[in-house]
Each structure stands twice: as C-alpha cells, then as structure tokens.
C-alpha cells in the first residue's frame, strides 16, 4: 500500500465535512482551522541545521497552512521528542518560542516523549487558527481565474542544495530554507477574494496540479513570471532550467491563490515588501501547461516532492 | 536540560489561559478541548504488538484525555509516518479506523511523512472534543474530597510484563495493555460534579501526586480499595506487592476524579459494567500517604512512568 493508497484508506474514515475530504491542507470546525504537520530529521531537516531554525520551521510551516486559509493564529500544540543532546533540545525550544512570539501563536499544550536511543528526531505541531467567514479551499478554482503567487519561489531549494554541497554555506538562500516566513497578513487579505488558495510547500508545479485536480480544471503557468529573488538569480541564473528548478524545488511556503481575472490584488493594502506575482491562469481541461517567452515548455518529469510530506 | 526543565521553558510561551499553565492534560479553546499524544515504537509500543492494536491505542489514549474532561469526541488529526512494511501500515490504519468508528471520532486531517530507513515508528494524534459548561482541570481538588477511580488498575502493566516474558502471551491482561478503553461515558457523567479529574496513564500514584500538586493538597490512598480485575488477581495475587504494582504500573487509562465527599457517583446512570471505586481522599498538606488493612504503607520509590510521556 503506497502513500496515496493509504490516504485513500484514511478518506474512508474522514467523512465528516470538517475533513474537507482530506483534499485541503486544513480541517475546519466552525470558524476554527486546524492543521498538523510533522518533521523528521534526515527527511525534513538536516542534522547540521541549527536547532533553533528547526524549531522555527516547524512552527512556520504550520502557520503557512493557516495563512493559505486566511486564518489568524490562535494556538498550537507541540509534539516534542526529547533527545540525548539537551543543548540541542533547548535551542530547538527557543526556536519554537521565537516563532510563536513572532506570530502571536500561544503554545497551549502537547506531548513530550522519549525516543529509543539513536532514533532520528521527529516533531509534530498542531496549529489552530480562526478563519474569516470565507475559508478558501483548494477546490473552488474556475477556468478563467488568474493564478497568483505570494512570496518567492526557489530560494529554499537553492539554499538546501548549497548546504548539501557545503554544510557551512550561509546567506539569504540558506536562510530561506531554514527560516521560512508564513504569509499570514497577505493570506488574510486575499482569502475573501480567492476562489482557491493553498500554500506552496512541495513545489509550485506539484501544488498547482493539486489545486487543479481539486478544482476540476487545468492551468497555464508562465515560467517567466515566477517571482525569483536576486540571490536566487545570482546563484542559478534566470534561464529556463533555473526557473524549472524554482517551480519544482519545494519548501517555499509561498501562497498560491486563484483570484477572479478582473480582481487586482495589488490594490489591497498589502504589507510593505509583499511580493505578489501573477504567474498564469486556470483553464478548462486538466493538467498543467508551461510557457515562457519562447513558447510552450515541456512539463518536467518531477513536479515537486511527491512523497516527502502529504497533508491529509 | 532535563524533561522537567524543558517543560518549564515551554511554560514561558504558554501564557494563554487556554494552556491551563500546561498543568492539565488538555488545552481549552471556548468549549473545545484539545489534546495531542505521541507514541513511539520501542517506548510506547512493542515491535511485536499487532499493528491494529497500536492504531487503536493511539486513538484511545487521546480519547482518554477527553474522557477526563467530560468531553464528547469531535474530531482528530493524525500524524502518520509511512514505514517500509506496507502491510503493517495498512493494519495500523485499520486500528485507527476501528477506534475512530467505535467512539464516533471523525478523522479530519493530519500529515503523512516518511522517516529515514530503519527509524523507529512515531505517530501522533490530536483529538478535539466538546466539553460541557464545566471542564474539570487537575487543579480544583480540595481537602476533604473523595478520590474515585473509574476502571481497573494494573491490568495493562501486568499484560505488558507477560508480553516481555513471552511475546506470544495473550488474554485479558494483554488485551488491556493493547486495547485500552477510554472512559468517555462515565467521564461525561462525572465532569459536572468533579472538582478535579484526569486520566491515569502513568500510574495511579504518579498521576494522583500530579493532581495533588496542581490542587495544592495531599491525598490518602487505600491500597486495599484499588479496583483489580479477576485476571490481575489470578496473575499477581492481591497482596501489598501486587497492589503497589497496580498503583504504579501505568497504561491504565482509567480516570481519577476528586468528588465532594457527600456526593455518591454510584447514584448516576452509569453505563452497565462501569467499575467505580472510592480509593481515598484529598487531605491538607502535600504528598501521598498509602494505607492498607495493616496500616500505613511506605510510598514506593517509583510512583509511575515519570519520563515516559508527559502531557504539556
């Protein structure tokens, strides 16, 4: 039974409307939005990652799911495994605390357990947020909607690649990998208008294909419109290969929003410095088509990190 | 930094009233009660445990926390790690499904991740319940209150000991260890009257000492009043040593309730077969005193599983 078959089995016990068919990143109970993400050493973070950044990231990736639903952070429950290196653990908790404080997310409970000696660390966080009257799902997108990205693509994957080459690497790309910033304020502003919204955690193309599948439509994406940072372009260039890397890299924690074509989100009172890029549109049919200035670009074989993590 | 120091550090970011000072098993947001428990292979379950029983137990231990707050199950989020043995995974999910169905707990979301090869399995569950107008904490107990236990003590620890001697062992004690039954119905009936209530997961004496510490009082416990099953007595006898084992064994998932001395819970419409035992009372001062027919019994050095799991 592979991961998708398992999730299909889970769907059979997820018949409550709050589950949203397990097709969304969150569950919805009344006006509360809930998400649970786990991270494991050697899979979602590196042994060399500073423990405070691992704690920060655990909180931030969950907040990114709340951001995609336009929800305000309410509270979190932490699943913490005590390791043999208490200094590491202490710094990890400091990172959790820093992110909780930065985004006004009170920690209200959880569990602390021991693991067998030498087991890789595994952490979980459940984040609870409060949504507005409209909590966008993945499934409301319509042919003709414009596709927008909030935040930058590719930085985190480029930072991770740098760290794999050189564990001492640093700079803005490494920071983007280690300390993602959840797009909470912009998510809240966009939610009332978005027909569909989700966060981009596993790669733009993979997450866009999930939005399309849930919405019953396809998408045309302009690779030349992807929001790239100066640091990314300095490291990778801005050619087709670099852009395909940015579109499939994962760990971006940007937002992907489908908005009515005639709605201009740049007219909203966005936080200073918000990066918002119109990268394409939803179309009839299904699947993705990519374009750049030279015309249609073949879809890469790998759209993102399919088996790394899957919200259910 | 040991576990208690870490939890003290977490308390600093748990200032929200919903956290109940991390002194309770649950967090409370409005009328919703939330709990998160993790279990790890080699720590909370054995490699030889049938996977369906591991899935059942993960759900049941979280429901036991809801039971202790008189809460009705509303929904759960599952943190699932995919292993290399897909048959094991499938049976685990069947066990989760069976417990969710048995207690009307819809699965509404969560996360599925991979672990590095050969890593011990780790699972998490967040359970959400809806409480009555009064959600008993650990901290409201008063000197003079009677202490009651709902359910049996010692069976699970005896079953675990049998499995450690003989991995093929079976019978009601092994079942008690593998398939704990959350005391949801009785918890709901007692909650409006309980001055303090919690579930007994780490051993009666350890959990009672936690209730006393949170309530600012002590307790006198009658070892000869502990609710023991016939199977337990057949295996271990009913002497002082056996009773001390039952009082410190852990994994009971019984309830411990402080009730006004003049209140008789046996007058409630309890579900058929409910086991309810008055095992002592809260007193002034602090700490526990044990008694049996022969007089005061010295407190054992180990009150329960201090470092195995700690709700925060």
């Amino acid at each position: 039974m592979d991961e998708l078959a398992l999730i299909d089995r889970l769907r059979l016990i997820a018949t409550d409307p709050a589950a949203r068919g397990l097709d969304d990143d969150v569950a919805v109970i009344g006006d509360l939005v809930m998400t649970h993400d786990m991270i494991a050493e050697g899979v979602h973070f590196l042994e060399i990652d500073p423990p405070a950044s691992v704690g920060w990231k655990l909180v931030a990736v969950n907040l990114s799911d709340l951001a995609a639903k336009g929800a305000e952070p309410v509270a979190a429950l932490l699943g913490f495994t005590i390791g043999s290196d208490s200094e590491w653990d202490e710094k990890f908790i400091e990172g959790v605390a820093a992110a909780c404080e930065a985004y006004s997310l009170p920690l209200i409970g959880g569990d602390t357990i021991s693991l067998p000696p030498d087991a890789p660390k595994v952490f979980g966080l459940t984040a609870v947020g409060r949504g507005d009257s409209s909590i966008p799902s993945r499934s409301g997108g319509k042919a003709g909607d414009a596709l927008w990205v909030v935040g930058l693509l590719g930085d985190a994957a480029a930072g991770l690649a740098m760290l794999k080459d050189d564990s001492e690497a640093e700079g803005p790309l490494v920071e983007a990998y280690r300390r993602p910033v959840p797009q909470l304020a912009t998510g809240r502003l966009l939610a009332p208008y978005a027909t569909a919204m989700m966060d981009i955690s596993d790669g733009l193309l993979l997450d866009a294909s999930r939005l399309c599948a849930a919405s019953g439509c396809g998408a045309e994406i302009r690779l030349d419109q992807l929001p790239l940072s100066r640091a990314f372009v300095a490291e990778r260039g801005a050619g087709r290969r670099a852009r395909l890397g940015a579109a499939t890299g994962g760990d971006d924690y940007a937002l992907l929003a489908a908005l009515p074509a005639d709605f201009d989100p740049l007219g909203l009172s966005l936080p200073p410095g918000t990066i918002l890029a119109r990268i394409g549109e939803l179309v009839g049919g299904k699947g993705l088509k990519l374009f750049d200035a030279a015309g249609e670009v073949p879809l890469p074989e790998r759209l993102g990190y399919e088996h790394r993590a899957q919200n259910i």
Side-chain angles (χ1 to χ4, degrees), chain A:
Chain A
M1 200 180 225
D2 68 5
E3 180 176 349
L4 292 177
L6 275 173
I7 291 173
D8 279 342
R9 178 63 192 90
L10 291 170
R11 270 185 239 281
L12 297 180
I13 48 171
T15 52
D16 194 278
R20 292 185 156 203
L22 300 185
D23 270 334
D24 210 348
D25 303 281
V26 300
V28 179
I29 298 179
D31 65 346
L32 294 181
V33 169
M34 295 184 199
T35 182
H36 179 72
D37 278 323
M38 294 176 91
I39 57 173
E41 183 181 14
V43 180
H44 306 88
F45 63 94
L46 308 173
E47 217 184 321
I48 57 160
D49 282 331
S53 78
V54 178
W56 172 282
K57 193 164 177 173
L58 175 63
V59 176
V61 302
N62 276 282
L63 287 177
S64 181
D65 282 327
L66 298 188
K69 305 296 129 180
E72 193 123 22
V74 169
L77 292 96
L78 174 66
F80 179 65
T81 55
I82 300 170
S84 51
D85 177 352
S86 62
E87 201 184 326
W88 196 100
D89 287 353
E90 193 176 341
K91 287 182 174 157
F92 169 86
I93 295 290
E94 291 301 335
V96 168
C100 284
E101 280 153 16
Y103 299 106
S104 302
L105 181 75
L107 184 74
I108 61 167
D111 197 14
T112 311
I113 65 165
S114 302
L115 291 182
D118 303 323
K121 297 170 191 299
V122 181
F123 304 107
L125 194 96
T126 300
V128 181
R130 186 160 275 125
D132 226 323
S133 54
S134 65
I135 298 170
S137 71
R138 288 184 182 183
S139 62
K142 288 176 188 54
D145 286 346
L147 268 185
W148 293 79
V149 166
V150 181
L152 292 161
L153 298 177
D155 282 10
L160 175 59
M162 288 168 68
L163 282 170
K164 286 188 168 167
D165 283 350
D166 169 12
S167 65
E168 305 286 306
E170 45 187 45
L173 300 176
V174 169
E175 272 305 282
Y177 161 71
R178 285 185 170 156
R179 292 191 179 266
V181 172
Q183 301 284 350
L184 285 159
T186 306
R188 276 206 290 284
L189 289 168
L190 292 181
Y193 308 100
T195 57
M197 191 153 63
M198 64 187 296
D199 80 328
I200 303 172
S201 53
D202 295 340
L204 168 67
L205 298 187
L206 181 55
D207 286 323
S209 73
R210 290 169 175 161
L211 187 147
C212 285
S215 294
C217 62
E220 294 185 359
I221 291 175
R222 300 278 318 192
L223 278 185
D224 47 356
Q225 300 302 319
L226 300 192
L228 303 180
S229 72
R230 266 186 228 183
F232 178 89
V233 173
E235 173 75 14
R236 295 281 183 97
R240 186 182 276 189
R241 190 184 152 89
R243 288 175 180 274
L244 282 170
T248 56
D251 252 351
D252 297 305
Y253 303 104
L255 300 183
L256 177 66
L259 294 166
D262 57 358
F263 175 75
D264 182 7
L266 298 167
L268 299 169
S269 309
L270 297 167
T274 303
I275 290 157
L276 199 57
R278 182 166 176 160
I279 58 142
E281 57 180 343
L282 297 183
V283 297
K286 55 186 196 173
L288 305 184
K289 281 190 175 178
L290 304 187
F291 297 88
D292 64 11
E296 191 168 345
V297 178
L299 209 59
E301 206 172 301
R302 195 181 63 78
L303 298 181
Y305 282 97
E306 185 95 49
H307 286 268
R308 202 188 40 165
Q310 175 74 43
N311 275 293
I312 55 172

